[in-house]
Amino acid sequence: MSDSDELAGDNASDATEFIARPAPPTTLGPQSPVPPPPPPVTGPQAAYQPTMARPMPPAGAGYFGPPSGPYSGPPPGMPSGMPPGYPSGRFPARPPGMTPPRRRRALPWILTAVALVCVAGLVAGGLVWWTSRHDDSSHAAPLDGQLTGTFPTAPTAKWQVGASQLGGERFVSPDPSRAQYLSLGAVHDEHTLVTFVSGPSSSGRTLAGVDAETGKHWTSSRTVQGCSDTIVNGRIACYDQSTITFFDTSTGSVVATADNPSPGAYEIALNTDGAYLRSFTDGGLSIMKVDNSAHAVWTKSYPLGDSTPGGDASSFTATSSLVASGQTSVLVVSAADGRELLNRAGYAVTEPLADGSIAVISASGSGGLATNAGPVVVVRPDGTTVEIPGSSVSVPTVASPNQRGHLLVDGRWTSVADKSSTWTTAVGGPDSPYGATTAVLADDREVVIAQGEDLTVADTATGQTRWTQKVAISYTTGFPVTDGQRLIAADPTGGITALALADGSNDWSLPVSTVGGASSDSSPAAQTFAVGSTLVTLTGTTITGFAPTGGPAGPPGIAPAQTRTAAEGTVTHCATAPTFTPQQFRTTPAGLVATMKVVATCADGDVMSGTGTRISIADSGSLVASGRFDFSRAPAAIPPSDVGEGITMELTYPPGSFYRTPDTLGQANGTAAGTFTVDCDPGPQTTTSLPKPEGGSAAPPQVSTGPELPPGVDLGSTTGDALRRQANSDRTFILSTLNNRWVAQLSSKRPGLFADGKTWDNQAILDEFLTLRLRFNDVRLLYSDEWSVFSQSGWWVTVAAATFPGPDQANAWCAAQGFDGEHCFAKLVSTTAPPDGSTRYR
């Protein structure tokens, strides 16, 4: 009972003014495990005396809390459905639907005709990188798919997750064709890396996800056989012999399921419209489409002609317009209706081009087995095709605008538009002893080709080699990633190494122990992934996340901002954090606003420009607020420490990132008067110099992008302490203003209560109270033990600080605001009155 949605307008007659504020667009913090209730405090108590007007529901009949008076009805905390628009009480890892449907496959397919004809295994592949040079890089953004932070020096692990922590023995690729051999691999978007965690069996697997920023991880509640090669809008699609399942990659929860009608299903693909399940049949294959709610859309069968599918080399993928299958035959159909666009003998399909086209390697042969590779066929989103002579192809998964219409065909950089290449000599290609190359990044100056153990940089226009280095690159070990200045690749010994793009020199290396140990004796190398700004490594037993050691990345070849020398009259980033002194606290609909005086600790001043700066405020050891701020959007310059005045800065902590209200902080005449400590972790900076500001000037205001607790802080204890302090603070006000008066009760909750579809804990209760406090001019918190009108202990009760001459007026006011009788009702607040007669429902 009691979860009110909104209050608006003036109170009924004879009531003090109580005006609603517009609801702020906020979400609440994540729930923590249910802690024990705070210890009861001394206060009057009385036995509960229900009347017969509304009998108490029997056990199991939906009774979630104690009624509060003779008018009976639903007790405090009893759910009746959250009113429309009420906050959910959760702080999502990221807003649903915000992840762009960009492809992030576990590993590029090695598109070599020889390997697919043999179909016995997967040959070593290669990698292509192109770097650019620009005169003005101050506003250049990194290309999609590269690291967004730089790594000029060797990083340290910011988190590490072992397979044993997730209930398994080793990590295995979600790609079913590789999972059957327990091969390593993962798929990711810009936030989360997803893989299988497996026991010794090669059958059903548990899906596991790790947030690249925080290292928080999850495992799925059900096992699956294989998953899609991409994450789309925070979802991944998986299948087993009986079910198709959509998982939320931020939590691992099941979003939707559908029956799998085909026991012969093998591989699943995903796009923004839904999932596509492929099954082989006698003489052909079948594709089934389900939408994002797991409802069947269409199922169609396709003959495979004279080419017989076989072996383990297989590929299946989808774009917004196309679905493509490759395994001895190549098939491309319309994603919208299943209309066949291409069906011929062939070997494999590539990752999509930037425009949504798909390239395939066609073939010819006899005896039911395709043996002669070529040509390469590009199927455009509208179904038209382009044929390019060649027997191997690689698509750059990351490319600058000028290079997005090119492919690496037989080791030559080739234009799809006119099928031409300016290269006279192939680099790598199908005749190389190591197999075909794979383009990963494309720009206008340099081409980097990974060929077996050779990492070769060539000129984009001519193909002329510039430098070559030895690294560990293959289909099983994965391919390097780039931060725009260097390539970060697997080391043959099992560690990782960073090579400068400019000349191939070694910038730094990390040993195998740092990435969690070798993957296996036969293939010790780690796999590397660019997940936002985080460098992630994957071995057979360990996933490790590394934070950038430099500023933000630009396109390949562009020097990061922090390497530039600051001019005279500027301030530069200081190695130690500035000092923050709270000056004032206030609340607005957006959250808790802390006005700070910020003083540099370095003689040359300071610059705050980090994307993930944590600033935590405590009052005599009690956490007030703690959040993550993105200063890269509006960097703050702090004058030299000898100026003394520092700057003024306003920090806003939205709900979920603050725990105390100003009235609990001992402010005197609007000035912060507590014993405050502020802990600042600036994190990696995006710029290191700014014009020197005047002492006493104001920095741009900052709003926390999300909660982030200091190390070692327990959220359950923090929120329990905050509830106790809030009730202590409000008790004085209630005794002087509300005691023995009728008010509107808005909520009553206690830890362990199950209501509104969740189990309430200290954090959820505090989040609800603070959200109500921000929405309305004034609400107050009571602890039921301290007020005689409540008969049961341990309940946190929220009331509106408007008084009424009687219960009828209070209920009339609730009705006037549009609330039903279970979400706003009259309550007498008193330290002396009994529970009988203290509550009236409508």
Side-chain angles (χ1 to χ4, degrees), residues 386-746:
V386 177
E387 295 195 3
I388 303 173
S391 58
S392 72
V393 62
S394 180
V395 178
T397 55
V398 179
S400 65
N402 290 339
Q403 305 301 326
R404 288 174 183 164
H406 290 72
L407 302 171
L408 196 71
V409 179
D410 288 354
R412 291 181 172 88
W413 193 230
T414 303
S415 168
V416 174
D418 59 13
K419 311 176 192 179
S420 66
S421 174
T422 58
W423 292 16
T424 57
T425 302
V427 179
D431 296 329
S432 164
Y434 299 109
T437 59
T438 300
V440 174
L441 185 150
D443 212 326
D444 303 337
R445 287 288 300 269
E446 297 168 344
V447 180
V448 181
I449 299 174
Q451 194 67 40
E453 295 180 352
D454 292 331
L455 194 64
T456 302
V457 174
D459 185 277
T460 303
T462 66
Q464 180 179 358
T465 298
R466 294 184 177 176
W467 60 262
T468 299
Q469 285 282 16
K470 295 288 185 183
V471 290
I473 298 173
S474 73
Y475 182 75
T476 55
T477 61
F479 302 97
V481 295
T482 184
D483 65 356
Q485 295 297 301
R486 52 200 60 82
L487 300 168
I488 304 173
D491 184 281
T493 65
I496 57 175
T497 187
L499 302 176
L501 275 169
D503 56 12
S505 60
N506 182 272
D507 280 355
W508 51 263
S509 296
L510 293 177
V512 61
S513 58
T514 303
V515 299
S519 292
S520 67
D521 293 339
S522 59
S523 179
Q527 293 183 4
T528 55
F529 301 89
V531 189
S533 65
T534 304
L535 169 67
V536 179
T537 62
L538 173 69
T539 72
T541 60
T542 310
I543 307 173
T544 307
F546 297 91
T549 56
I558 291 181
Q562 81 278 5
T563 63
R564 298 176 185 151
T565 302
E568 191 171 345
T570 64
V571 291
T572 57
H573 177 60
C574 178
T576 57
T579 60
F580 290 77
T581 303
Q583 305 294 299
Q584 184 185 54
F585 294 95
R586 71 181 193 280
T587 55
T588 72
L592 177 71
V593 180
T595 301
M596 299 279 198
K597 179 181 179 181
V598 187
V599 178
T601 55
C602 288
D604 294 331
D606 203 353
V607 170
M608 298 186 66
S609 64
T611 58
T613 299
R614 176 182 59 80
I615 303 177
S616 307
I617 309 171
D619 175 21
S620 300
S622 170
L623 194 63
V624 174
S626 187
R628 183 175 57 253
F629 293 84
D630 183 358
F631 281 86
S632 66
R633 303 171 184 174
I638 307 171
S641 57
D642 57 8
V643 173
E645 297 178 63
I647 59 171
T648 300
M649 182 184 299
E650 280 195 353
L651 303 176
T652 297
Y653 294 85
S657 60
F658 78 98
Y659 314 98
R660 302 274 298 277
T661 57
D663 52 310
T664 70
L665 297 175
Q667 292 200 142
N669 299 320
T671 301
T675 305
F676 298 103
T677 57
V678 180
D679 178 33
C680 175
D681 180 2
Q685 301 296 297
T686 60
T687 186
T688 55
S689 63
L690 289 172
K692 184 186 300 183
E694 296 291 333
S697 61
Q702 303 284 343
V703 179
S704 172
T705 59
E708 183 169 341
L709 290 176
V713 172
D714 179 73
L715 187 58
S717 298
T718 294
T719 51
D721 173 73
L723 286 168
R724 183 66 267 164
R725 290 174 183 267
Q726 186 67 54
N728 289 345
S729 175
D730 286 344
R731 180 176 171 82
T732 300
F733 172 86
I734 296 170
L735 285 172
S736 63
T737 307
L738 307 183
N739 195 29
N740 296 314
R741 303 291 298 274
W742 286 92
V743 298
Q745 180 171 316
L746 306 179

Side-chain angles (χ1 to χ4, degrees), residues 29 37 55 93 221 309 378 426 447 453 525 596 733 752-753 788 799:
S221 59
V378 178
V447 180
E453 295 180 352
M596 299 279 198
F733 172 86
L753 169 73
S788 61
V799 298

Side-chain angles (χ1 to χ4, degrees), residues 129-133 143 146 441 443 482 484-485 501 554-558:
W129 248 286
W130 282 263
T131 67
S132 67
R133 299 287 185 268
L143 300 178
Q146 72 172 86
L441 185 150
D443 212 326
T482 184
Q485 295 297 301
L501 275 169
I558 291 181

Side-chain angles (χ1 to χ4, degrees), residues 331-386:
L331 172 72
V332 183
V333 304
S334 166
D337 55 18
R339 176 171 46 92
E340 185 177 291
L341 303 175
L342 178 76
N343 188 349
R344 63 170 72 177
Y347 296 108
V349 302
T350 68
E351 292 191 9
L353 282 71
D355 66 354
S357 300
I358 286 181
V360 306
I361 304 173
S362 67
S364 60
S366 59
L369 185 63
T371 57
N372 301 316
V376 171
V377 181
V378 178
V379 184
R380 298 189 181 101
D382 63 2
T384 60
T385 60
V386 177

